[in-house]
Amino acid sequence: MARAPDLSFYAYTPSAAVAAVCCALFGIALIWSTVMTVRKRSWVWTVQLLAILMEVIGYADRIVSANNPTNLNLYAVQFCVIILAPVLMAGAIYVVFGRIVFHVVPAQERTTRLLWIPPRWITPIFVAFDVLSLIVQLIGAVAVSSTKATDENAANKLKIGKDVALAGLTLQIVAFGLFTIIAARFHFTSQRFEARLQSRLENADRGRSVYVKGSSRKINPQWRRLLYAINASCVLILIRSVFRVVEFAEGPTGTVMQQEWFMYVLDTLPIFLVVVSFCLIFPGSYLPYMGFRVPKQPEGARELQSADGSGIALREV
């Protein structure tokens, strides 16, 4: 049921102080991630920067909204951007996973059998689902957050908005759930490529990074840490998504929407941990190239063949 225009849009008294702490924490993470993105020239990571920026804007707006809880515009902005930011984070994770596969798996081993989906289509397919989920959730979130009690058929508009948002969240959970399984499985199946990979590497920077023989590109030998960060982030984002599904399913009279701490524990905390994990294990510090495009093999470079005739395990990217 929509609230009267002179009543708070929150079912509780929102805390400006907690919102300020969250804004500051995400702000620090944004600064650090921006510095690392520029330093490592990891331009594809700007998607993650945009997601973190949305979190900063969301909680900054929530500070103001907490002091003016009857303002529809303030409530709608913080609601929408906090809901949508994790969708962009999922997109960034898809890209990083795709780059890991490209770097680590020999060309002829990148088969549908390995990942259940053609490896070259891993990023495009899941990003497409991500974009579709983003659009659907945006439509639903805007419909829910902008409905006033004085609107004609307000209850029906709220129901439609809630159903649309639920559809978007469900699509995200299904797609991201499948990706989580694929990423977890790859964590184990990729071990069989490690021996061949190590045979083609030579030390650089006192062991902090290694070269592929015959190549100018370096990779951190501890690249597997990225898989841990990806798998942990997948679980955290799924926890947050399930929480949001329950929230929308219950509606404004449900237990979840009646208590503010649910949002901070089951949305803010998991998403912040995702951000921190990639601040500590920054993809650009582990993979040789994180640009928007995979460049062509430089002139004069050649692929290294193993004794069994397999392609190189790590290539110029």
Side-chain angles (χ1 to χ4, degrees), residues 192-220:
R192 74 173 188 258
F193 304 118
E194 202 150 8
R196 278 186 286 175
L197 175 62
Q198 294 300 324
S199 69
R200 293 175 177 82
L201 302 179
E202 50 191 20
N203 288 332
D205 301 333
R206 298 180 180 179
R208 287 175 296 181
S209 59
V210 291
Y211 285 107
V212 180
K213 294 175 182 178
S215 169
S216 62
R217 296 290 181 184
K218 294 185 290 186
I219 185 172
N220 190 312

Side-chain angles (χ1 to χ4, degrees), residues 52 120 180 228:
I52 303 174
R120 64 179 296 182
T180 300
Y228 284 109

Side-chain angles (χ1 to χ4, degrees), residues 32 36 41 60-61 66 102 114 122 138 143 158 172 180 184 207 222 231 245-247 249 254 283 288 296 311:
W32 175 258
M36 292 300 292
R41 301 176 65 83
D61 182 85
F102 184 83
L114 176 67
I122 280 284
L138 176 61
L158 278 175
Q172 181 186 3
T180 300
Q222 303 299 322
N231 288 322
V245 166
V246 173
E247 180 186 45
K296 296 179 180 179

